[in-house]
Structure formats: C-alpha cells, structure tokens
Amino acid sequence: MSQAFLRVYESGVVSGSLDEVWKLIGSFCNVPLWHPAVKESIIEEFQADNKIGSVRKITFYEGEPVRERLLAYDELNHSYTYTVVEGLPLENYISTIRLLPVTENNHTFVEWKSEFYCAPDNKEMLEGMAKGVYTSGIASLKRAFQK
C-alpha cells in the first residue's frame, strides 16, 4: 500500500524576547515546562540533554509514550530538529522548532513544522494530532509571556 505524505506547519508570535523564549524551550528534555500536553520527558540512558543522537521519552497526560531522537541542535540560530523513533504509526518523521526575533517589538516568532509518511487511513488523525500538539504548545508559550 502506498504511503501518504504530510507537511504540518504552525506558527505564532510570543511576547517574550528571543532569549527569554529560548531559555524556556531550548532544552530538548524540558518540554513539560512549557507544553500543556506533556506530563514527563526524560533523556534515556543518561545521555546529555541537547546532544545530537540523544533520545527522549515523552509521556503525555493522554495517550501512549513517544520516543524521539534529537537530529540537530542549533543554539546560535535557536532551533532543534528531531525524529520519532517509536510510539506513532508514521515513518520518516522530521520536525523542527525554530525561533526568530521580531525586531519591531522584541517579541519572538515561533514556528513548528514537520514532514512524515503514514498509511492513508491514518492521515487525517495524524495531521490533526500534529496540528493540535503544535498549536497548543505555541498557545502555551503565548500565555507564559503575556505582558
């Protein structure tokens, strides 16, 4: 059976400065500090946080745990890229979270995007899930930096 290809993209502007927002989300492991759906995140096998190749296990308040591997980490450009190793019915999932400065008012542009393949029967469910995770994460960041 052929696979469906999906691209998911969500973005928003957060009232905090680039450095403030990066301080909160810049750790690959600290997702529970800013994402309302994530109950726990641990780096497996005592690997260092933010080290390329490290694997985190994410436990959600609802649903099964997901394991993700860090593929790229760029502190200078405020981004990281990861892939799903286990826990979701998809293949070749690549996701990037990136921050950019909004120089006009010292706010931060947040973008979260992914590409992946899945069975056509799972396309709507996985697209909705990814959009929901990204939008709720960005909304949580907006609330954290409301002025």
Side-chain angles (χ1 to χ4, degrees):
M1 174 160 55
S2 67
Q3 297 281 300
F5 177 73
L6 283 165
R7 279 193 177 117
V8 178
Y9 181 92
E10 296 296 328
S11 64
V13 176
V14 175
S15 296
S17 72
L18 182 67
D19 288 338
E20 290 171 328
V21 179
W22 183 249
K23 185 176 180 180
L24 181 58
I25 77 162
S27 166
F28 184 57
C29 188
N30 286 342
V31 181
L33 295 179
W34 61 272
H35 201 294
V38 178
K39 181 178 181 180
E40 181 181 53
S41 174
I42 57 168
I43 299 290
E44 296 182 347
E45 300 178 10
F46 306 104
Q47 300 172 38
D49 189 19
N50 302 334
K51 181 180 178 193
I52 306 299
S54 63
V55 175
R56 70 181 176 192
K57 180 180 179 184
I58 299 235
T59 303
F60 297 94
Y61 284 100
E62 295 182 18
E64 297 296 315
V66 174
R67 294 176 65 236
E68 300 170 331
R69 175 174 289 114
L70 186 63
L71 299 176
Y73 185 84
D74 188 343
E75 189 165 4
L76 182 63
N77 290 301
H78 306 95
S79 71
Y80 56 86
T81 300
Y82 61 95
T83 186
V84 170
V85 176
E86 182 180 292
L88 292 172
L90 45 74
E91 294 179 17
N92 300 320
Y93 177 93
I94 304 290
S95 181
T96 300
I97 298 175
R98 182 171 73 151
L99 306 180
L100 295 165
V102 179
T103 58
E104 177 182 29
N105 53 15
N106 200 30
H107 290 178
T108 301
F109 179 77
V110 179
E111 70 175 4
W112 198 344
K113 61 185 177 178
S114 63
E115 295 182 348
F116 57 92
Y117 291 90
C118 66
D121 292 349
N122 290 332
K123 182 178 178 180
E124 275 187 43
M125 181 269 297
L126 289 169
E127 182 176 31
M129 183 195 68
K131 283 180 173 286
V133 167
Y134 303 169
T135 57
S136 65
I138 293 168
S140 179
L141 289 171
K142 287 179 179 184
R143 286 189 302 276
F145 290 97
Q146 279 182 332
K147 295 181 179 178

